[in-house]
Amino acid sequence: MPCFALVDCNNFYVSCERVFNPKLEGIPVIVLSNNDGCAVARSNEAKKLGIKMGTPFFQCKDLLYKNNGKALSSNYALYGDMSCRVIQTLQQFTPELEIYSIDEAFLSLNGFGNLTSYAKKIRSTVKQHTGIPVSIGIAPTKTLAKVANKIAKKNIAGVLDLATENMDSLLESVEVGDIWGVGYRYAAMLNKYGITNARQLRDCDDTFIKKKMTIVGLRTLHELRGESCIALELMPSSKKAIGSSRSFGKPVTDINELLESVSDYVSRAGEKLRQQNSATSAMQVYLSTNPFKNQPQYANAVSCSFPATSYTPELIRYAQACLKQIYRKGYAYKKTGILLSGFSPANAVQLNLFAEPSQDRASQKAIMSALDSINQKYGTNTVSYASSGISKIWKMLQSLKTPCFTTRWSEIPVVRA
DNA sequence: TCTGGGGTCCTAGGACCC
DNA sequence: TCTGGGGTCCTAGGACCC
């Protein structure tokens, strides 16, 4: 029987911040989404106050501050780097590991001895090497490992091997909506049929579940029964779409500022595109007003396709042309975004019969790789496109951000002894 | 005043082909 | 008045994940 362990960092973003600022220990802490909009990570103390995932900051600010809590802007450079350190530590414990998200990894523990004590060792080593607390759930399928992890989070040891438990009563204690793969819509549907906990779902009729939840739901069902259907993915697969979008710090009406924003997003996406050695042949551009505001609303999207390329200036031209198609004067816009798709390997790009002689692919490639390596070495936007603007008044707000402790020389913490 | 961003997969239905 | 059957491809929309 296969054996999976799910290692999940506790309150990951908050824990990263605490590593570099011990004053954050023991008090309610939340980390905010872009624009300091919503709470996307909460310390246990903040959870206890009743602050839910995704709560808008303006709604929980008073409660948080009244309880001596602290809010921080998100610092993705820090979290990304800390995530790498956790993964590096985990790799010492098994050769088979899947990086599932920024704060989670599935490990294969096939053939290992006493799993509970091994997991405890993993846990204490990660804490020692990185300062990050993790919880570990162990089970014969990924879905059950997720369940085990959820329960492990609640006990002191932070580790749970499902094989040591009474499955029926344990699954009965898990709400159906807490199962991996069951979102709030499916949970509501299942509840309507009287299915409220994981044991009831496990014992459902296959045909019924397939009809209501497609073969994806059926897979979940089988996994709950202990039949492994979702394999470990050891190699990260390349992306099939790359998007970039942002909400603005304040409403934008001027088309020139919107053009700057899409140009900026396209150049970010272009970097990611080249990183995975792909070329793109399709793009979608969208924009919208603020749906939370009582004001005239407008949202639209348009797609275009073109000969495969990974040359940012070309992508910027397409993006700006698309935006001009859907822009309407007189609205206060809150957000724009772009999405690249239709990928092919960059080294197998079809030559364009109608290309202008000036489009010299080799020199375009050289320019892009020079630009990418400068920005990688000296930081994002060291060199950027004129069309992305300089003022960037549409830029997002991040007033509570901590330093990039581990990724910028100038922001490294100083220890005075 | 103030409400995130980046992905994946599946299915139904329409267009199109022979 | 009567109007096939089988297949593929693409897209939009809906579900999910972190």
Side-chain angles (χ1 to χ4, degrees):
Chain A
M1 206 186 323
C3 180
F4 297 95
L6 174 65
V7 180
D8 187 320
C9 302
N10 300 346
N11 316 327
F12 184 55
Y13 297 169
V14 171
S15 297
C16 291
E17 299 288 353
R18 280 179 169 169
V19 169
F20 294 93
N21 184 359
K23 283 185 189 154
L24 298 174
E25 294 287 352
I27 63 167
V29 180
I30 62 174
V31 173
L32 301 167
S33 62
N34 286 335
N35 273 315
D36 297 339
C38 309
V40 292
R42 304 151 296 149
S43 70
N44 290 341
E45 298 81 0
K47 287 176 187 172
K48 250 180 225 157
L49 288 180
I51 299 172
K52 298 264 182 291
M53 180 73 175
T55 305
F57 186 33
F58 72 90
Q59 281 175 13
C60 58
K61 203 180 206 166
D62 289 348
L63 177 67
L64 183 74
Y65 289 156
K66 223 174 274 171
N67 289 276
N68 299 315
K70 195 138 185 180
L72 298 166
S73 302
S74 35
N75 182 347
Y76 287 104
L78 175 67
Y79 312 148
D81 185 60
M82 293 302 285
S83 174
C84 289
R85 295 176 187 212
V86 171
I87 296 299
Q88 275 168 21
T89 307
L90 294 177
Q91 277 165 340
Q92 300 167 16
F93 289 91
T94 176
E96 294 190 320
L97 173 151
E98 171 186 342
I99 302 170
Y100 178 66
S101 74
I102 193 164
D103 69 337
E104 279 171 79
F106 285 105
L107 279 57
S108 164
L109 295 184
N110 288 338
F112 286 69
N114 184 331
L115 296 175
T116 302
S117 67
Y118 195 60
K120 281 181 181 166
K121 192 168 169 217
I122 295 177
R123 189 167 182 267
S124 61
T125 310
V126 172
K127 175 76 177 160
Q128 187 191 347
H129 288 191
T130 67
I132 302 290
V134 300
S135 300
I136 304 181
I138 301 165
T141 71
K142 283 181 161 182
T143 304
L144 287 173
K146 276 275 198 179
V147 169
N149 188 283
K150 202 154 213 120
I151 298 167
K153 278 227 153 63
K154 290 180 198 152
N155 67 40
I156 301 279
V159 168
L160 183 80
D161 180 359
L162 223 53
T164 65
E165 300 292 311
N166 176 326
M167 280 298 257
D168 279 17
S169 63
L170 186 132
L171 289 180
E172 262 166 30
S173 74
V174 176
E175 275 179 44
V176 89
D178 285 339
I179 300 168
W180 192 39
V182 181
Y184 78 100
R185 275 167 209 276
Y186 281 155
M189 183 275 293
L190 290 167
N191 284 336
K192 235 175 51 195
Y193 286 93
I195 303 156
T196 57
N197 66 50
R199 189 186 66 79
Q200 289 174 315
L201 180 64
R202 181 199 66 186
D203 297 338
C204 270
D205 176 58
D206 281 22
T207 323
F208 168 75
I209 292 301
K210 175 157 185 214
K211 193 172 153 218
K212 291 289 183 186
M213 299 170 66
T214 80
I215 65 160
V216 180
L218 192 58
R219 221 156 29 212
T220 301
L221 192 68
H222 289 189
E223 285 241 321
L224 283 176
R225 292 177 187 155
E227 187 188 318
S228 175
C229 309
I230 308 172
L232 212 59
E233 280 173 41
L234 302 176
M235 292 290 288
S237 48
S238 55
K239 302 200 185 316
K240 291 163 186 165
I242 296 174
S244 181
S245 65
R246 293 284 181 282
S247 295
F248 304 135
K250 51 181 164 182
V252 172
T253 53
D254 180 7
I255 188 169
N256 291 310
E257 282 161 17
L258 297 177
L259 288 169
E260 283 179 12
S261 71
V262 295
S263 160
D264 191 51
Y265 305 154
V266 159
S267 53
R268 287 168 203 258
E271 267 176 40
K272 290 190 193 168
L273 184 72
R274 292 186 294 274
Q275 249 168 42
Q276 64 165 40
N277 283 313
S278 294
T280 172
S281 63
M283 176 189 300
Q284 186 186 54
V285 176
Y286 51 94
L287 85 181
S288 63
T289 49
N290 187 344
F292 294 103
K293 278 204 161 167
N294 190 10
Q295 63 180 22
Q297 296 289 328
Y298 173 68
N300 206 350
V302 67
S303 301
C304 66
S305 54
F306 42 82
T309 181
S310 60
Y311 186 54
T312 295
E314 208 172 323
L315 295 174
I316 290 177
R317 277 209 307 278
Y318 297 133
Q320 298 203 330
C322 282
L323 184 82
K324 284 175 189 165
Q325 274 180 52
I326 50 176
Y327 173 79
R328 300 286 177 274
K329 224 177 154 161
Y331 291 99
Y333 293 98
K334 178 65 176 172
K335 181 175 181 172
T336 55
I338 64 101
L339 185 68
L340 305 179
S341 59
F343 295 166
S344 54
N347 52 16
V349 164
Q350 275 283 324
L351 294 179
N352 181 4
L353 185 59
F354 304 103
E356 298 156 29
S358 65
Q359 289 181 324
D360 172 358
R361 289 284 168 193
S363 64
Q364 289 183 353
K365 205 177 153 191
I367 294 170
M368 286 301 102
S369 66
L371 216 115
D372 288 342
S373 53
I374 292 173
N375 282 333
Q376 199 167 22
K377 189 163 177 189
Y378 299 102
T380 313
N381 280 332
T382 302
V383 185
S384 66
Y385 298 86
S387 56
S388 303
I390 299 164
S391 65
K392 300 197 177 178
I393 70 156
W394 40 269
K395 203 174 68 179
M396 60 185 185
L397 306 168
Q398 278 200 311
S399 53
L400 307 165
K401 194 165 153 248
T402 51
C404 296
F405 296 112
T406 61
T407 54
R408 273 183 196 269
W409 286 113
S410 59
E411 299 179 11
I412 268 181
V414 176
V415 177
R416 294 179 210 284

